[in-house]
Amino acid sequence: MNNSDIKKYLKYLNFDKFYKPKYKRCEICNSNKTKLLRKKISWNNNKFGVLPVHCCLNCGFVFQNPRFDKQFYKNYYEKAYRNITLGTQKPPKKYLDDQKSRGKKLFKFLKPHIPKKGSMLDVGSSVGLMLLPFLKNNWKCSGNDPIRSYVDYGKQKFNLPVECILSEDMKLKKRSLDLIIIMGSLEHVVDVNLVMKKCSEASKTNGILVLEARGDPLGNTKKFFNQSHHRYFFENTLELIMIKYGWEPFLTTKYPITGPTRQNTIFCLGRFKGESIKKNFKKAIKFGKKETFDDIFFKLKYYNYLAKNSSNKLLLR
Ligand SMILES: [Zn+2]
């Protein structure tokens, strides 16, 4: 990404200050061997520009590279993000209803895996309405999100225990949580390792972690890569990040646990075991728990192919 590309992007975001992004090692396996997967991505709907995405050649993780610093993203989330994605600073009713419904479905699904009551955290909780069914069942809940207008709305309108901070700045009590949920936020946080480390220190042994990620592309991949996603998890990399921080994945599924409104997302559920799981992380990759550059490249090519070739060309079998 040369300076002219950077300036174009910053101008697009209405940032006056110049920020220089830096190349990073793979956020999952720490390898410095990464390869360009996509140079131009979607800045917003039909606006495309340079913001390169790399694939790690050791584990197959897909992430934005180079990347800006924390201050850049702080400004980005405060000013730009909601305006770009939803076109408003006030949460729409449809969005609030969806959060409520997703929370209900999640609670029901998790029931067999969690205690009757306990302590939970929602990282990237937005308004915080997914906490409602847990609160109703006497769980001790907290949530956080960097988007102030949404957090304030949750606090003022619904009296929800949410706070406006970056998840990197969370202060959590050690071994205090029975359940942590990160629903579609892990792609957006600035420092995924710091967030996961904090969560792992706060989880009780056998505590449950629920991760939700966007999953495979829906249709043509042109818009799949966009500026608000710093990284792209697939089944394998979701499991890897859990293992890296001591959770043992026990269910990874595309089944729509929280209902139909977030089409195609993937879920990974894990149980915290600590060191006994963590210590196998590097070996697991070495012995094949990885995707190659070509695995990823052809996955994307496959979705482009599907989008282009309509079903009437297929023979029924
Ligand atoms: Zn890697």
Side-chain angles (χ1 to χ4, degrees), residues 25-34 55-63 237 240 281 285:
R25 286 169 170 264
C26 170
E27 294 178 299
I28 290 192
C29 75
N30 205 37
S31 167
N32 59 6
K33 293 186 177 66
T34 69
C55 175
C56 171
L57 297 179
N58 183 48
C59 74
F61 188 49
V62 176
F63 62 108
T237 37
L240 277 178
F281 170 67
I285 295 172

Side-chain angles (χ1 to χ4, degrees), residues 288-299:
K289 186 154 181 60
K290 60 170 142 186
E291 284 165 297
T292 65
F293 182 89
D294 281 351
D295 288 340
I296 301 292
F297 182 83
F298 283 101
K299 185 209 284 281

Side-chain angles (χ1 to χ4, degrees), residues 251-266:
L251 173 65
T252 306
T253 183
K254 280 186 181 170
Y255 176 79
I257 291 175
T258 57
T261 51
R262 293 201 174 176
Q263 208 186 342
N264 214 35
T265 63
I266 46 174

Side-chain angles (χ1 to χ4, degrees), residues 156-214:
Q156 284 153 16
K157 276 262 172 181
F158 302 99
N159 199 24
L160 291 164
V162 285
E163 64 173 328
C164 180
I165 46 162
L166 288 171
S167 47
E168 288 80 2
D169 298 331
M170 300 185 285
K171 288 196 176 60
L172 306 170
K173 214 176 138 196
K174 295 228 150 76
R175 303 280 161 258
S176 64
L177 297 168
D178 299 282
L179 171 66
I180 301 169
I181 64 174
I182 313 181
M183 313 299 282
S185 308
L186 218 51
E187 288 118 325
H188 302 293
V189 302
V190 179
D191 185 342
V192 68
N193 283 294
L194 182 56
V195 173
M196 287 298 287
K197 184 171 175 276
K198 288 196 170 190
C199 288
S200 74
E201 286 166 358
S203 179
K204 288 183 190 170
T205 301
N206 292 317
I208 300 291
L209 173 64
V210 181
L211 297 180
E212 182 186 15
R214 244 167 120 219

Side-chain angles (χ1 to χ4, degrees), residues 14 47 49-50 60 74 96 148 166 188 248 262 283 298:
N14 283 324
K47 170 86 181 157
V50 173
K74 215 174 164 203
L96 299 171
R148 182 163 305 279
L166 288 171
H188 302 293
E248 181 176 39
R262 293 201 174 176
K283 254 191 206 160
F298 283 101

Side-chain angles (χ1 to χ4, degrees), residues 80-307:
Y81 181 59
R82 280 295 159 192
N83 287 329
I84 288 164
T85 53
L86 291 169
T88 170
Q89 291 278 351
K90 193 186 164 220
K93 184 172 183 301
K94 217 174 137 185
Y95 180 83
L96 299 171
D97 289 345
D98 182 48
Q99 267 218 326
K100 279 187 204 168
S101 147
R102 296 182 73 230
K104 267 187 206 161
K105 292 194 169 77
L106 179 68
F107 182 72
K108 202 174 154 197
F109 189 89
L110 288 179
K111 255 185 163 175
H113 304 289
I114 54 176
K116 271 222 157 71
K117 64 176 187 176
S119 182
M120 77 167 291
L121 167 71
D122 183 350
V123 178
S125 59
S126 179
V127 176
L129 284 165
M130 284 187 85
L131 300 172
L132 268 186
F134 295 90
L135 287 165
K136 274 185 191 151
N137 284 275
N138 298 314
W139 275 67
K140 191 172 169 263
C141 299
S142 63
N144 60 63
D145 201 277
I147 296 157
R148 182 163 305 279
S149 56
Y150 277 44
V151 171
D152 285 349
Y153 197 84
K155 281 205 280 202
Q156 284 153 16
K157 276 262 172 181
F158 302 99
N159 199 24
L160 291 164
V162 285
E163 64 173 328
C164 180
I165 46 162
L166 288 171
S167 47
E168 288 80 2
D169 298 331
M170 300 185 285
K171 288 196 176 60
L172 306 170
K173 214 176 138 196
K174 295 228 150 76
R175 303 280 161 258
S176 64
L177 297 168
D178 299 282
L179 171 66
I180 301 169
I181 64 174
I182 313 181
M183 313 299 282
S185 308
L186 218 51
E187 288 118 325
H188 302 293
V189 302
V190 179
D191 185 342
V192 68
N193 283 294
L194 182 56
V195 173
M196 287 298 287
K197 184 171 175 276
K198 288 196 170 190
C199 288
S200 74
E201 286 166 358
S203 179
K204 288 183 190 170
T205 301
N206 292 317
I208 300 291
L209 173 64
V210 181
L211 297 180
E212 182 186 15
R214 244 167 120 219
D216 284 1
L218 277 169
N220 187 288
T221 64
K222 205 174 171 202
K223 285 187 188 173
F224 178 68
F225 295 105
N226 62 56
Q227 60 159 357
S228 64
H229 290 83
H230 300 167
R231 53 192 77 80
Y232 301 84
F233 288 98
F234 302 117
E235 277 92 337
N236 190 56
T237 37
L238 263 189
E239 290 179 355
L240 277 178
I241 196 105
M242 278 208 175
I243 294 167
K244 183 178 181 183
Y245 286 95
W247 279 274
E248 181 176 39
F250 64 87
L251 173 65
T252 306
T253 183
K254 280 186 181 170
Y255 176 79
I257 291 175
T258 57
T261 51
R262 293 201 174 176
Q263 208 186 342
N264 214 35
T265 63
I266 46 174
F267 297 86
C268 184
L269 278 64
R271 202 170 273 117
F272 190 74
K273 300 288 179 188
E275 203 51 42
S276 65
I277 290 295
K278 249 192 219 174
K279 67 175 188 203
N280 298 309
F281 170 67
K282 285 221 158 129
K283 254 191 206 160
I285 295 172
K286 193 177 163 198
F287 291 129
K289 186 154 181 60
K290 60 170 142 186
E291 284 165 297
T292 65
F293 182 89
D294 281 351
D295 288 340
I296 301 292
F297 182 83
F298 283 101
K299 185 209 284 281
L300 300 173
K301 218 172 150 66
Y302 167 72
Y303 283 103
N304 287 344
Y305 174 85
L306 274 190

